Structure formats: C-alpha cells, structure tokens
Amino acid sequence: MSRLTLAQANSIIDTALAEGIRLDFQPLCVAVLDAGGHLLALKRDERASLLRPQIATGKAFGVLGMGFGGRELARRAAKMPAFFNALSDLAGGNMVPVPGGVLIRDSNGEILGAVGISGDTSDNDECCAVTGVAAAGFIADVGGAD
Amino acid sequence: MSRLTLAQANSIIDTALAEGIRLDFQPLCVAVLDAGGHLLALKRDERASLLRPQIATGKAFGVLGMGFGGRELARRAAKMPAFFNALSDLAGGNMVPVPGGVLIRDSNGEILGAVGISGDTSDNDECCAVTGVAAAGFIADVGGAD
Amino acid sequence: MSRLTLAQANSIIDTALAEGIRLDFQPLCVAVLDAGGHLLALKRDERASLLRPQIATGKAFGVLGMGFGGRELARRAAKMPAFFNALSDLAGGNMVPVPGGVLIRDSNGEILGAVGISGDTSDNDECCAVTGVAAAGFIADVGGAD
Amino acid sequence: MSRLTLAQANSIIDTALAEGIRLDFQPLCVAVLDAGGHLLALKRDERASLLRPQIATGKAFGVLGMGFGGRELARRAAKMPAFFNALSDLAGGNMVPVPGGVLIRDSNGEILGAVGISGDTSDNDECCAVTGVAAAGFIADVGGAD
C-alpha cells in the first residue's frame, strides 16, 4: 500500500477549487484525508460559510468510515435513517452521508484516502472532487451512479 | 468588511424585543452573533422558557454556518433530513434549521453577523428579527419567501 | 423568592461594562444568569476575544453550581484539583473556578442569579461585577476575601 | 477590518513548511484560522503523526480565544492550571496553551487570524510560524518573549 502524500493531496485540492471557479460554483471548501482518516490538507475559499470545513471533512471521513462513496452512503441513509443517525452520533457528527465524499483509489483498487467537498449542491461538489482526483492520477469512487 | 459592534447588536435586540411586546407575542429570547459566529449580545425575557437562549443562538449560528437564512435552511432540512441530522451533530446541536434565524447583511451584501429569535412561532420570531435588523440600517436575509 | 428580571440583568451588565471602560480595563464580556443557571443577558465588547462569552458564562454558572462565589471556588480548586477537574468535565466546561464569578443575593441572602465577567485580570473582572450588582440594589457575594 | 484570504493563508503555510524543511525539523502540520476561529487552510506533512492537525488547530484557536500569543498562554497556564483546565474543557479541547500558536496582526494591530504549528518542539514550531507570517507581510504576535 502506497501512502498519499501532502503534495498529492494539495494537487487534488487545487484542481478541485479551480474547477469550481471555472464552472462558477459557490465558494468551496475541500478536504483530503489519508487512509487512516486523518487530515492531510484542507482549503476553504474565504467567502465560504463557517461550517464548510466540518462538512467537507465529514463527507471524506464518512466514505472512509463505511468504505463506499457518498452517493452510496446517501442511498443507504435514505433506507436506514435510524442506522445513519446512530452512525452520525458514533462519529461525533464526522459522517455526512451525501454526494461530495469520494474515495481515492489507486489502480489496484486500494483506498489511499478520501476527498470531501462542500459549498455548492452535493452533485456539483462531487463533480469537482472527481476532477481533482482524476487529474492527480487516481481513481475517484463516488459510490456508483444513481 | 466592517465589523458589527456591540452597540449595533444591542439595538437590533432591543427593537426586536419591543416589536414582540407591541404585537403581544410570547416572551422572546434574541441573540446576535458576529460574522465568525460568536455571541455579541443576547437578551431573554425572564418569562421565556429555559432552552430559548440555546435555540435562538442555534438559529443564528445555523444561518452563518451554511450561509443562507433560516427559511431556506428549513426547506433544505425537509428535503434532506439525514444531511441536516448530520449537520446538527457536527455543530454540537448549534444548528436549528427553522425561520427566525436571519443573516445581517450590509448594503454590499457582505455578511456582518446573524440574529436568532425563539419564543413564539417561527414566523413571528422571524418577523421581530427582520424589524430589528432593518431598524439598525442593515439588510435582513431570511432565506427567501416560501 | 423574587425573580431577577431582564431589565435588572441588563442594568447590571451596562454598569459593569461602563466601569470597565472608566477604569481603562481590557474589553470585557459580561453574562447574567438567573437562579436556575439560565442566561438572561450577555454583552461582549466587539473587541473582546472569542472565548470570552463561554468564560463569562462559565464563571457565573460555576458559582451557582456550587453555591459560593468565584474567590472561594478558586481557593477550593487550588486545594482539590482532581475534584475541580471532575466538576469541569461534569459541567461540560461550564464551571470556571476563578474570581469574576459573583452570586447576586437579595437583602435576605436569597440567591437570585449570578454574574460572570471575563476580559481583564480576574480581580479586575470581579471589581466590575461587584459594581454592577451593587448599583442594581443587590448584594454581590464574591466568595469571601482572600 | 480586512479579511485574511485563502491565498494569504496558503502562502503562510507553504513558507512555514519550507522553513521547517530547511532547518531539518521534524515533519510539521500547519493550520491557519480566520479572525472568527474558522479553518482557512491546513497542511500536514504525510509523515507527521495523527494528532498534529488537532494540535496545530488548537494552538491557533487558543490564541484567538484568549487574544494573546501561545507564549503568554503557556505562562498563564503554568500559573493557573485549574483555569486552563476549564478553558480546555470549555473549548472542547480546542485550546492548546503552548508556543507555536501565533496571532496574525496587520500593521494597525488588528487580529486577522492565527497560525498554529505542531510537529517539532514548541519553540521550533513557533519559529516556522513567525517566518511564515512575516513573509506574508503580517505581524506575528507570539505572546511576548520569555
């Protein structure tokens, strides 16, 4: 298992933020966690609202916590609200089950970490995450198509 | 970016409380937070119930946390209950997604802080918040009409 | 038992803040809680630092929680650090055992509430609290002289 | 009052990390918060240990919470352990009273935010913070010399 570096995390974030600006999205916050769920890097547009760092981090931690992307987390949360309510409490809120949390996989499918984005709609957040992960040469796992 | 002062916060609160009395509303609690989500001033009618300070503060913090007024928060919470449950946990409960949380904007649209009111119905709480913010010379952003 | 009113709480706060300005103290935050430990009013000078509302509230709650003023709390905390560490955890941090937390008593000695001040040294914080309580016609109980 | 931008925060972090590498310090984590105590940017060397993000953030939040640099926080914590234990609880642990937490001031002395660094000794952490803040054109307030 190789380890995600700060340089790679930073590259994912910068590409994702640039994509958000290119598409005229709302101001974003982007967080990248390593495979152990620990923050490698985070950047928040200074115009983004106050809870965005926690939401971005919670999206990234949620996908690592359960092992599948935010889109699958959202489907399961819709079917099992009591379970996801318990998960949210277990994680101290650090579990946000919506699109925009994306697993970062290498070419063997190994999980290297996760990226979480918050600021625009969940679909737009996810779009920027996928762009950032792909540009860095990794595979973005969003949790399957709807 | 200018900073909301204690004198301005106090003026918003006093006007809002007076409006509640004029309209014969239930006893109110009014909180004003600065742009960073920190309490500038709070007043609770001594007849208002015990959790009103936390609810008023949570309404104000919620709108700053997400960057839009309480009416929009309420619409989104109705559509995305799992996400708002997670937000509530993330914020340690300091996120109350109902009308009565109002962003305080200057004439350029910059967010200077927020006011939250609790005690009567959410619509009545919001009405007093809007009156207080407008009387102080600011723009009240309630999160759009229903 | 009579009940502390918002008007009385506000008068205590305004006198205490004015005393701080008169004595050229650091920017202050002043909180007044009722006999049940619930916030009646709080004002923070906009130049005071971020944690001042929590510290002021914690000083006021601490004296109500234990039933004696902050100066006595400080003496006991020095003698029984493990007990006060546990109290702090029990209270979720809302227990700050230093001068500047003052019980508000009526002429019969009944506890009507408490005031907590933070921003300058603990002794200076306490001085403003005493001035505010006395000017409102109540008796300030600081927890005995050192 | 001007607002710290993400670009400025990022510049502070990159300079601080480069200084740590130049001086052969242990792997660092650097966090920059805005004046309201909210994360603007954070980078952690992938070799730095797991709690470094929380420690760096707690150093930065601590200096904003109290309004003076980490070196002064450390002096006060040594004199008033019960008070600082309470502060740590009040802040949910987000208050680390040691050098390496540095206020970012503009030329008028206004607080724009704070930087916190963790990874090497507190003195070395602080040295990198000062270098980063100065290189970005701001004034680093470490809390006075020992």
Side-chain angles (χ1 to χ4, degrees):
Chain A
M1 174 182 155
S2 60
R3 183 159 63 170
L4 201 63
T5 64
L6 169 56
Q8 291 165 332
N10 193 50
S11 152
I12 292 171
I13 291 176
D14 284 348
T15 304
L17 286 172
E19 182 72 356
I21 288 167
R22 191 180 72 81
L23 294 170
D24 203 25
F25 287 166
Q26 292 294 308
L28 300 178
C29 178
V30 187
V32 172
L33 309 187
D34 66 19
H38 302 283
L39 204 52
L40 268 173
L42 178 149
K43 292 184 182 176
R44 176 172 63 94
D45 187 310
E46 67 272 8
R47 300 164 301 152
S49 63
L50 305 184
L51 275 175
R52 299 301 171 180
Q54 288 89 331
I55 300 171
T57 305
K59 288 186 181 186
F61 190 80
V63 299
L64 288 166
M66 297 303 288
F68 34 74
R71 203 159 282 276
E72 174 66 9
L73 281 184
R75 273 191 296 268
R76 296 194 182 201
K79 282 190 209 153
M80 300 181 287
F83 179 58
F84 274 78
N85 181 49
L87 284 183
S88 177
D89 287 347
L90 269 178
N94 202 16
M95 154 67 72
V96 181
V98 292
V102 173
L103 289 167
I104 303 167
R105 294 186 186 271
D106 67 14
S107 54
N108 298 317
E110 285 278 342
I111 294 175
L112 301 180
V115 55
I117 301 190
S118 181
D120 204 288
T121 66
S122 292
D123 287 351
N124 288 346
D125 294 342
E126 182 189 274
C127 158
C128 296
V130 168
T131 301
V133 171
F138 300 113
I139 293 162
D141 177 353
V142 302
D146 271 345
Chain B
M1 174 184 164
S2 58
R3 182 157 66 172
L4 201 64
T5 64
L6 168 56
Q8 292 166 332
N10 193 49
S11 151
I12 292 171
I13 292 175
D14 285 348
T15 305
L17 287 172
E19 182 72 355
I21 288 166
R22 190 181 72 81
L23 294 171
D24 203 25
F25 287 167
Q26 292 295 308
L28 300 179
C29 176
V30 187
V32 172
L33 309 187
D34 66 19
H38 301 283
L39 206 51
L40 269 173
L42 179 149
K43 291 184 181 175
R44 176 172 63 93
D45 187 310
E46 68 272 9
R47 300 163 302 150
S49 60
L50 304 183
L51 274 176
R52 299 300 172 184
Q54 287 88 333
I55 300 172
T57 305
K59 287 186 183 188
F61 190 80
V63 299
L64 289 167
M66 297 302 287
F68 33 74
R71 205 160 279 278
E72 173 67 8
L73 281 185
R75 274 191 295 268
R76 295 194 181 200
K79 282 190 212 155
M80 299 181 286
F83 179 59
F84 273 78
N85 179 58
L87 284 184
S88 177
D89 288 345
L90 267 179
N94 201 16
M95 153 66 73
V96 181
V98 292
V102 173
L103 288 167
I104 303 168
R105 293 187 185 271
D106 66 15
S107 53
N108 298 317
E110 284 279 340
I111 294 174
L112 300 180
V115 55
I117 301 190
S118 180
D120 203 287
T121 65
S122 291
D123 286 351
N124 287 348
D125 295 342
E126 182 189 273
C127 157
C128 296
V130 169
T131 301
V133 171
F138 300 114
I139 293 163
D141 176 353
V142 302
D146 273 344
Chain C
M1 173 183 153
S2 59
R3 183 158 63 170
L4 200 64
T5 64
L6 169 55
Q8 292 165 330
N10 192 49
S11 151
I12 292 170
I13 291 176
D14 285 347
T15 305
L17 286 173
E19 181 72 355
I21 288 166
R22 190 181 73 80
L23 295 170
D24 202 25
F25 288 168
Q26 292 294 309
L28 301 178
C29 176
V30 187
V32 172
L33 308 187
D34 66 19
H38 301 283
L39 204 52
L40 269 173
L42 178 148
K43 292 184 181 175
R44 174 172 64 94
D45 187 310
E46 68 272 7
R47 299 164 301 152
S49 63
L50 305 184
L51 275 175
R52 299 299 172 183
Q54 289 89 330
I55 299 172
T57 306
K59 287 186 182 187
F61 190 81
V63 298
L64 288 166
M66 297 302 289
F68 34 74
R71 203 159 282 275
E72 174 66 9
L73 281 185
R75 274 191 295 269
R76 296 195 181 200
K79 283 190 211 153
M80 300 180 287
F83 179 58
F84 273 79
N85 180 49
L87 284 183
S88 177
D89 288 346
L90 268 178
N94 201 17
M95 155 65 73
V96 181
V98 291
V102 173
L103 289 166
I104 303 167
R105 294 186 185 272
D106 67 14
S107 54
N108 297 317
E110 284 279 344
I111 293 174
L112 301 180
V115 55
I117 301 189
S118 181
D120 204 286
T121 66
S122 293
D123 286 352
N124 287 347
D125 295 340
E126 182 188 275
C127 158
C128 296
V130 169
T131 301
V133 171
F138 299 113
I139 293 162
D141 177 353
V142 302
D146 271 343
Chain D
M1 172 182 163
S2 60
R3 183 158 63 172
L4 201 65
T5 63
L6 169 55
Q8 291 166 332
N10 192 50
S11 150
I12 292 170
I13 292 176
D14 285 347
T15 305
L17 287 172
E19 182 73 354
I21 288 167
R22 189 180 73 80
L23 294 170
D24 202 25
F25 288 168
Q26 291 294 309
L28 301 178
C29 176
V30 187
V32 172
L33 309 187
D34 66 20
H38 301 283
L39 205 52
L40 270 172
L42 179 149
K43 292 184 182 174
R44 175 173 63 93
D45 187 310
E46 67 273 6
R47 298 163 302 152
S49 61
L50 304 184
L51 273 176
R52 298 299 171 183
Q54 287 89 333
I55 300 171
T57 305
K59 288 186 181 186
F61 190 80
V63 298
L64 289 167
M66 297 302 287
F68 32 75
R71 203 160 280 276
E72 174 67 9
L73 282 184
R75 274 190 294 268
R76 295 194 183 201
K79 282 190 211 154
M80 300 182 286
F83 180 57
F84 273 78
N85 179 57
L87 285 184
S88 176
D89 288 346
L90 268 179
N94 201 16
M95 154 65 73
V96 181
V98 291
V102 173
L103 289 167
I104 303 168
R105 294 188 185 268
D106 67 15
S107 53
N108 298 317
E110 283 279 341
I111 294 175
L112 301 180
V115 54
I117 300 190
S118 181
D120 203 286
T121 65
S122 291
D123 286 351
N124 288 347
D125 294 341
E126 183 189 275
C127 158
C128 296
V130 169
T131 301
V133 171
F138 301 113
I139 293 162
D141 177 353
V142 301
D146 272 344

